[in-house]
């Protein structure tokens, strides 16, 4: 991704950005478009999940599992967020659908697309190989795609691990103390998934006592894929609660397997919504980087395309995010709290306590600088 000013971001494989850009090209650049594309992929994930569960379990289980999925705070809030995990989940489930239907070529193609969406798509390779050795062919394909990404990085930045890739890999692979790590993930899981946690354990037990081998494999297929990310990337999972998204299919399916009455399913869904309603509202009304959005919008109206902006804040408590400011200004953005660190190549904007924003030129003209 070109961030402007000779800066590039190679943190991710390219397809997520291309999908987002395609939606902008078709519908225009707007916030509602940024919400539209994850909503479409979220609904697509549920549709594929429904087909899998209906075919290999039952229609009733499929309906209950889908409603359990939809009722979680994780889906209600993050299901409309333009983050990599949303389109990836669709392609992961699509890959599993092709795999379960013994469609080798489509499984390979869908896995490649998942890998090009973002890095956890690569986890499909060991998971599929674990269940069927003929998918060993995916390993050289995965190495080839990773090599192409590094080669592209080298040609653009002069460094195979440039564009922030080295730094983000080292950060994501950093160790986190196991006890506080597991404790935090357990609290997040209970907060976002509530009763699906104990129900899923019961669901696993019910499957282990049944002779239907394929159904057991599907449950563990979902589980093994979900558990790889928090094992490999402990730092990222410790920082970002939404990475528990990968447990969506496993928890919804395994929980639905122990609910044999529609009335019981309705009660569990209503209890989930009731017990988590205040939390859902808090998520919906969260605005940690609202000021960064305001700064970006203000700067866009005061600058021209091609300009770069610098934000100097006199409020050191401001939770500034350069991605938000850069997105809403459509300009490369940097930030400092030191008024002496003025870069003449950037248009300067000052942020004052109370939310007041002024352009550097306006301050000079008013004689206040």
């Amino acid at each position: 991704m070109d961030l402007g000013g000779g800066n590039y971001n190679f943190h991710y494989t390219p397809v997520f950005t291309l999908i987002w850009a395609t939606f902008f090209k078709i519908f225009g650049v707007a916030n509602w478009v940024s919400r539209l594309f994850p909503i479409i992929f979220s609904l697509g994930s549920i549709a594929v999940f429904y087909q899998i569960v209906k075919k290999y379990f039952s229609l009733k289980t499929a309906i209950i599992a889908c409603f359990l999925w939809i009722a979680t705070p994780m889906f209600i809030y993050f299901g409309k967020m333009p983050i990599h995990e949303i389109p990836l989940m669709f392609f992961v489930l699509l890959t599993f659908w092709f795999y379960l239907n013994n469609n080798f070529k489509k499984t390979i193609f869908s896995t490649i697309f998942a890998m090009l969406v973002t890095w956890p798509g690569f986890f499909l390779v060991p998971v599929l190989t674990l269940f069927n050795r003929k998918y060993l062919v995916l390993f050289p394909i995965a190495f080839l795609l990773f090599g192409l990404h590094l080669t592209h990085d080298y040609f653009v930045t002069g460094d195979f691990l440039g564009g922030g890739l080295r730094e983000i890999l080292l950060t994501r692979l950093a160790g986190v103390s196991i006890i506080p790590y597991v404790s935090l993930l357990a609290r997040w899981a209970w907060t976002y998934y509530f009763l699906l946690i104990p129900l899923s354990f019961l669901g696993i037990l019910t499957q282990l006592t049944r002779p239907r081998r394929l159904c057991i494999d599907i449950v563990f297929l979902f589980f093994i894929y979900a558990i790889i990310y928090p094992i490999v990337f402990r730092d990222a999972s410790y920082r970002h609660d939404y990475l528990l998204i990968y447990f969506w299919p496993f928890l919804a399916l395994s929980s639905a397997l122990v609910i044999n009455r529609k009335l019981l399913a309705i009660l569990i869904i209503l209890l989930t919504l009731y017990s988590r309603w205040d939390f859902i509202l808090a998520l919906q009304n969260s605005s940690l980087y609202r000021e960064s959005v305001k700064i970006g919008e203000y700067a866009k109206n005061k600058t021209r395309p091609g300009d770069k902006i610098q934000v100097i804040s006199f409020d050191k408590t401001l939770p500034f995010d350069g991605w938000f400011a850069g997105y809403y200004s459509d300009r490369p953005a940097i930030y400092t709290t030191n008024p002496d660190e003025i870069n003449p190549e950037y248009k300067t904007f000052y942020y004052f306590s109370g939310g007041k924003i002024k352009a550097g030129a306006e301050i000079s003209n008013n004689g206040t600088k």
Side-chain angles (χ1 to χ4, degrees):
M1 181 190 298
D2 186 355
L3 301 178
N7 298 313
Y8 298 90
N9 184 324
F10 277 87
H11 292 188
Y12 305 101
T13 45
V15 165
F16 171 81
T17 306
L18 294 175
I19 293 172
W20 201 351
T22 300
F23 271 81
F24 282 157
K25 182 68 175 179
I26 295 172
F27 300 105
V29 180
N31 280 336
W32 70 267
V33 179
S34 290
R35 301 297 183 186
L36 175 65
F37 99 80
I39 289 173
I40 289 175
F41 277 102
S42 290
L43 295 177
S45 295
I46 292 174
V48 178
F49 176 70
Y50 171 82
Q51 292 297 327
I52 292 173
V53 179
K54 184 180 75 168
K55 180 173 181 177
Y56 296 102
F57 293 87
S58 69
L59 174 62
K60 181 178 70 175
T61 301
I63 294 173
I64 292 173
C66 286
F67 277 103
L68 290 175
W69 179 328
I70 292 170
T72 63
M74 183 68 75
F75 177 82
I76 293 171
Y77 184 67
F78 290 110
K80 61 181 184 301
M81 294 284 283
I83 51 179
H84 295 77
E85 285 67 28
I86 300 301
L88 177 62
M89 182 57 66
F90 170 77
F91 288 109
V92 166
L93 288 168
L94 191 65
T95 298
F96 288 155
W97 170 254
F98 291 141
Y99 164 74
L100 293 169
N101 283 279
N102 295 313
N103 193 319
F104 181 78
K105 290 183 178 179
K106 290 184 178 180
T107 301
I108 296 294
F109 179 80
S110 184
T111 302
I112 291 173
F113 217 88
M115 288 189 284
L116 289 174
V117 171
T118 190
W119 299 115
F122 284 76
F123 297 154
L124 284 168
V125 178
V127 172
L128 292 173
T129 304
L130 179 65
F131 284 85
N132 192 323
R133 291 184 179 179
K134 71 179 181 180
Y135 288 101
L136 281 168
V137 69
L138 283 169
F139 277 96
I141 294 174
F143 282 114
L144 175 63
L145 291 178
F146 185 62
L148 289 174
H149 185 81
L150 297 184
T151 302
H152 182 212
D153 195 345
Y154 176 79
F155 279 119
V156 173
T157 69
D159 184 350
F160 284 107
L161 294 173
L165 183 58
R166 177 183 290 103
E167 292 77 10
I168 198 65
L169 281 175
L170 291 175
T171 299
R172 291 296 181 248
L173 292 172
V176 177
S177 299
I178 191 65
I179 294 178
Y181 175 63
V182 173
S183 175
L184 177 66
L185 261 59
R187 293 197 301 272
W188 277 349
W190 178 253
T191 300
Y192 281 106
Y193 291 117
F194 192 43
L195 293 178
L196 299 195
I197 303 300
L199 287 172
S200 65
F201 284 105
L202 292 175
I204 293 174
L205 293 176
T206 62
Q207 291 306 298
L208 291 176
T209 60
R210 296 178 181 178
R212 294 181 298 170
R213 179 65 191 177
L214 181 59
C215 293
I216 299 173
D217 284 350
I218 293 172
V219 173
F220 282 99
L221 186 71
F222 289 161
F223 175 75
I224 293 171
Y225 179 79
I227 201 68
I228 292 177
Y229 195 100
I231 291 175
V232 175
F233 294 123
R234 282 162 51 186
D235 175 80
S237 299
Y238 190 79
R239 295 169 183 264
H240 302 298
D241 49 359
Y242 63 82
L243 291 173
L244 289 174
I245 277 176
Y246 296 117
F247 286 90
W248 262 343
F250 163 71
L251 291 173
L253 172 58
S254 56
S255 297
L257 292 174
V258 295
I259 302 174
N260 53 14
R261 295 182 182 277
K262 294 179 181 179
L263 179 58
L264 179 58
I266 294 172
L267 289 175
I268 290 173
I269 290 169
L270 291 177
L271 181 59
T272 298
L273 292 173
Y274 175 77
S275 65
R276 294 294 179 262
W277 191 249
D278 288 342
F279 177 62
I280 293 170
L281 291 180
L283 286 172
Q284 295 296 112
N285 295 323
S286 60
S287 56
L288 179 61
Y289 298 117
R290 177 180 294 173
E291 296 304 304
S292 300
V293 175
K294 288 172 58 179
I295 291 169
E297 292 174 337
Y298 182 87
K300 185 174 184 178
N301 293 327
K302 299 290 184 178
T303 56
R304 297 171 297 178
D307 286 342
K308 297 180 288 186
I309 67 170
Q310 175 177 247
V311 180
I312 298 177
S313 175
F314 291 100
D315 182 356
K316 294 185 178 181
T317 65
L318 174 69
F320 182 83
D321 188 284
W323 293 99
F324 280 85
Y327 172 77
Y328 284 94
S329 66
D330 198 21
R331 319 279 189 260
I334 59 174
Y335 171 80
T336 181
T337 57
N338 186 350
D340 295 325
E341 294 180 353
I342 297 178
N343 189 324
E345 297 181 1
Y346 287 72
K347 301 290 184 180
T348 304
F349 293 85
Y350 294 91
Y351 180 89
F352 301 91
S353 297
K356 187 177 182 180
I357 307 167
K358 286 290 184 180
E362 293 174 327
I363 293 178
S364 296
N365 294 336
N366 290 333
T368 57
K369 181 180 177 184

